[in-house]
């Protein structure tokens, strides 16, 4: 729907489309300039008041020669608009979207085009370090909900004209702004084209729940697959480093994190803290993270199999045995497999409860809950202390992985191996391992590569950069 040459018709159309009378925060203001009118529309609380007052004051003081009928709307904003970010539009839909996103829309009598003035000022929290992505040394900054602030944090770190930021508007109702951020010449051009095509083809009503909703729109519908297709970061330094390396970053308005693409399973070995230490220490942390990820997945099922077959436990590992296992098993209320599953569910419940616990109480809540529940379960002879110890170690080791999405995927994998081991013994454990490898192998990244990349297909240089924290001088040489 386009504007006409009639000022009154344009004003009536915008009044109807915006439904100004139904919303108290939609403000309209009429400005009279030497016999001509201008109608301003904006959302209360989303504009810079001082800048808006300066613009209105400048309009009221316009000399008559700048309002002549032979002058175009472009001449008007070039000569009379005391603000740098101003543009024209003929589309009423664009006018509505910009006004609702915080810009000031202005209808001018005598001109068909409408003026869009970007004086947005969103309510925003301070740019502080994110709670769940801390570093020992480094900048104490994190992404916020304002998209422009996030792009500015990246521009501050990468002062290269090849840094490109393409904007897309998604959602029939939400009109959410999504930015595709990449370094031209370093990013994979095929992946860029694929992402542009996917973003343009998305048809959805709203994207108000953030980047995870966007990921689900771009990925194949595999609801049964828990392994994440993207990494998320709330740190601008980490995001800038990934972009500089040739990866692609997706930013979204109203969401304080960025999505890093493409992502394979080995990409989760890296962490920002790796670069806070010497390369040798950073490499040690990556390998430790890998080992702990494997341990959290297979340790509990393997321990359960060893308890079922204590005769195969070597003498060096005899400390893993449950002393007088047969006697204890007869006196404990639940089978060992049920104990492990129950502890897994209780840990998940504690995680969920801690999210709704006030910050000042969350640490003490977690410690007290673990101690009280574990001690009570052992004293009441519901569980054996060895099972509580094993699952406690697994739970703590799981936090070495900074990605919540991958952490839950490994938890599901652990429960699958436990269930199959309980039903079919050693053969069930082997079948579960084969099934997990098959699921990961069938998982595709957004670039179309295998989830095992760069192991499959084998790229030794890329694989080495993931397992080894190389000195910066080597990477730049």
């Amino acid at each position: 729907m386009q504007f006409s040459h009639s000022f009154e018709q344009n004003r009536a159309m915008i009044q109807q489309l915006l439904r100004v009378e139904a919303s108290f925060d939609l403000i309209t203001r009429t400005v009279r300039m030497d016999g001509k009118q201008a109608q301003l529309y904006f959302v209360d609380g989303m504009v810079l008041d001082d800048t808006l007052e300066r613009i209105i004051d400048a309009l009221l003081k316009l000399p008559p020669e700048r309002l002549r009928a032979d002058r175009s709307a472009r001449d008007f904003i070039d000569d009379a608009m005391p603000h740098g970010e101003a543009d024209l539009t003929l589309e009423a839909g664009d006018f509505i979207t910009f006004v609702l996103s915080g810009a000031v829309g202005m209808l001018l009598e005598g001109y068909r085009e409408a003026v869009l003035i970007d004086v947005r000022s969103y309510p925003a929290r301070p740019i502080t370090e994110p709670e769940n992505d801390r570093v020992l040394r480094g900048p104490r900054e994190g992404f916020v909900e304002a998209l422009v602030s996030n792009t500015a944090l990246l521009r501050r770190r990468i002062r290269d004209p090849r840094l490109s930021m393409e904007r897309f508007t998604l959602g029939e109702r939400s009109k959410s702004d999504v930015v595709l951020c990449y370094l031209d010449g370093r990013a994979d051009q095929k992946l860029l084209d694929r992402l542009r095509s996917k973003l343009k083809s998305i048809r959805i009503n709203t994207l108000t729940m953030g980047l995870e909703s966007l990921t689900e729109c771009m990925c194949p519908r595999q609801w049964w697959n828990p392994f994440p297709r993207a990494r998320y970061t709330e740190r601008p330094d980490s995001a800038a480093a990934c972009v500089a390396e040739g990866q692609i970053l997706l930013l979204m308005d109203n969401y304080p994190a960025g999505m890093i693409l493409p992502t394979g399973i080995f990409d989760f070995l890296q962490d920002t803290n790796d670069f806070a230490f010497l390369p040798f220490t950073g490499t040690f942390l990556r390998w430790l993270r890998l080992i702990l990820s494997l341990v959290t997945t297979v340790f509990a099922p393997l321990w359960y199999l060893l308890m079922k077959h204590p005769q195969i436990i070597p003498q060096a590992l005899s400390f893993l045995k449950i002393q007088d296992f047969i006697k204890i098993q007869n006196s404990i209320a639940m089978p060992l497999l049920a104990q492990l599953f129950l502890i897994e569910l209780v840990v998940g419940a504690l995680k969920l409860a801690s999210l709704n616990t006030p910050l000042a109480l969350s640490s003490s809540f977690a410690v007290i809950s673990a101690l009280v529940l574990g001690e009570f379960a052992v004293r009441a002879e519901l569980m054996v202390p060895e099972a509580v110890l094993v699952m406690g170690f697994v739970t703590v080791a799981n936090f070495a992985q900074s990605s919540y999405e991958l952490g839950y995927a490994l938890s599901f994998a652990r429960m699958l191996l436990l269930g199959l081991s309980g039903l079919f013994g050693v053969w069930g454990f082997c079948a579960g391992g084969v099934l997990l490898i098959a699921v990961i192998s069938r998982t595709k990244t957004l670039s179309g590569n295998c989830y095992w990349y760069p192991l499959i297909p084998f790229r030794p240089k890329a694989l080495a950069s993931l397992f080894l924290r190389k000195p910066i001088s080597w990477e730049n040489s």
Side-chain angles (χ1 to χ4, degrees):
M1 188 180 300
Q2 292 189 339
F3 291 111
S4 65
H5 291 282
S6 172
F7 175 76
E8 294 300 331
Q9 288 183 5
N10 293 338
R11 181 161 60 179
M13 178 176 63
I14 294 300
Q15 292 280 130
Q16 180 181 4
L17 292 176
L18 268 180
R19 300 178 67 247
V20 176
E21 296 81 4
S23 301
F24 78 95
D25 59 335
L26 290 176
I27 309 300
T28 178
R29 167 72 186 273
T30 303
V31 179
R32 302 188 185 277
M33 309 169 295
D34 194 37
K36 288 192 175 183
Q37 297 184 71
Q39 195 76 23
L40 276 66
Y41 298 91
F42 57 93
V43 179
D44 191 18
M46 295 178 68
V47 298
L48 293 168
D49 293 337
D50 295 340
T51 306
L52 182 59
E53 289 177 6
R54 189 171 68 249
I55 291 173
I56 294 176
D57 183 63
L59 292 176
L60 293 172
K61 295 178 181 179
L62 279 179
E65 60 270 13
R66 293 191 178 180
L67 298 172
R68 296 196 313 265
D70 60 338
R71 293 174 59 82
S72 66
R74 176 61 61 182
D75 294 333
F76 176 85
I77 64 172
D78 288 343
D79 297 343
M81 187 58 59
H83 190 71
E85 297 182 70
D87 204 356
L88 300 172
T89 183
L90 278 172
E91 299 292 334
D94 294 341
F95 184 91
I96 298 295
T97 300
F98 269 86
V99 170
L100 293 178
S101 66
V104 173
M106 183 169 63
L107 301 177
L108 283 168
E109 187 177 3
Y111 300 107
R112 185 183 179 189
E113 299 95 333
V115 181
L116 300 173
I117 312 167
D118 194 348
V119 291
R120 285 177 276 197
S121 176
Y122 296 138
R125 58 183 173 87
I127 300 175
T128 56
E129 186 177 22
E131 289 288 336
N132 300 320
D133 203 356
R134 293 180 177 272
V135 292
L136 293 177
R137 289 192 298 271
R140 308 304 181 189
E141 292 180 331
F143 285 133
V144 294
E145 286 74 13
L147 180 61
V148 176
S149 298
N150 295 340
T151 55
L153 289 171
L154 293 176
R155 287 283 182 191
R156 183 182 176 187
R157 287 167 169 81
I158 305 178
R159 301 172 185 180
D160 191 329
R162 294 180 299 169
L163 179 61
S164 306
M165 297 190 183
E166 300 180 15
R167 185 176 64 87
F168 298 84
T169 301
L170 304 179
E172 297 296 329
R173 294 181 180 174
S174 63
K175 305 291 183 182
S176 303
D177 289 330
V178 176
V179 169
L180 193 64
C181 177
Y182 61 93
L183 197 62
D184 191 30
R186 290 278 292 175
D188 184 359
Q189 190 60 45
K190 291 184 178 179
L191 177 58
L192 274 174
D193 295 337
R194 181 192 291 261
L195 289 176
R196 289 192 191 103
S197 176
K198 285 181 177 291
L199 290 173
K200 292 177 182 178
S201 63
I202 290 177
R203 298 292 180 266
I204 192 171
N205 285 332
T206 62
L207 279 175
T208 53
M209 295 309 296
L211 285 175
E212 184 57 37
S213 301
L214 182 61
T215 306
E216 294 176 9
C217 291
M218 294 192 298
C219 293
R221 298 184 178 181
Q222 294 182 345
W223 60 268
W224 46 268
N225 191 336
F227 288 96
R229 314 296 179 84
R231 283 188 298 154
Y232 300 97
T233 180
E234 298 182 43
R235 300 190 60 86
D237 54 345
S238 178
C242 292
V243 171
E245 291 173 358
Q247 294 180 288
I248 299 171
L249 184 73
L250 274 176
L251 297 172
M252 186 174 177
D253 198 18
N254 297 307
Y255 198 77
M259 180 198 302
I260 303 171
L261 301 170
T263 296
I265 193 167
F266 293 115
D267 290 309
F268 293 97
L269 295 178
Q270 302 182 91
D271 189 74
T272 310
N273 277 306
D274 297 347
F275 296 89
F277 300 97
L278 293 172
F280 183 85
T281 307
T283 301
F284 168 76
L285 292 177
R286 292 188 182 184
W287 279 95
L288 182 61
R289 202 173 291 119
L290 172 64
I291 293 171
L292 289 177
S293 297
L294 294 175
V295 166
T296 57
T297 306
V298 304
F299 182 64
L302 283 177
W303 179 79
Y304 172 74
L305 288 176
L306 291 176
M307 294 305 101
K308 288 186 65 176
H309 307 282
Q311 67 276 6
I312 64 175
I313 301 178
Q315 186 65 30
L317 298 178
S318 58
F319 63 90
L320 293 175
K321 293 181 181 180
I322 298 177
Q323 301 300 324
D324 297 328
F325 178 69
I326 302 299
K327 180 180 178 181
I328 292 177
Q329 194 174 30
N330 294 331
S331 62
I332 296 296
M334 286 186 294
L336 183 59
L337 183 63
Q339 295 178 40
L340 296 176
F341 269 107
L342 180 60
I343 296 174
E344 187 79 52
L345 294 177
V346 169
V347 169
L350 290 176
K351 287 182 181 180
L352 189 61
S354 65
L355 293 176
N356 300 317
T357 304
L359 187 61
L361 303 175
S362 59
S363 299
S364 57
F365 166 80
V367 173
I368 292 173
S369 299
L371 291 176
V372 170
L373 292 178
E375 182 69 17
F376 173 79
V378 172
R379 287 183 175 274
E381 295 188 344
L382 293 174
M383 300 176 184
V384 294
E386 289 85 353
V388 177
L389 177 62
V390 167
M391 293 305 295
F393 167 74
V394 168
T395 301
V396 173
N398 202 30
F399 283 107
Q401 175 54 250
S402 59
S403 171
Y404 284 113
E405 294 82 10
L406 185 61
Y408 275 111
L410 296 180
S411 297
F412 296 144
R414 180 169 61 249
M415 287 190 284
L416 174 67
L417 291 176
L418 271 175
L420 292 177
S421 299
L423 292 174
F424 306 107
V426 176
W427 288 108
F429 177 84
C430 296
V434 172
L435 179 61
L436 284 177
I437 294 175
V439 169
I440 296 175
S441 301
R442 286 181 56 84
T443 305
K444 298 291 183 182
T445 66
L446 284 178
S447 61
N449 288 328
C450 177
Y451 206 54
W452 293 109
Y453 180 86
L455 182 62
I456 302 174
F458 186 58
R459 299 289 186 270
K461 186 175 180 180
L463 189 63
S465 66
L466 293 176
F467 281 91
L468 303 175
R469 202 295 239 174
K470 297 180 181 179
I472 299 299
S473 57
W474 292 8
E475 295 180 353
N476 294 334
S477 61

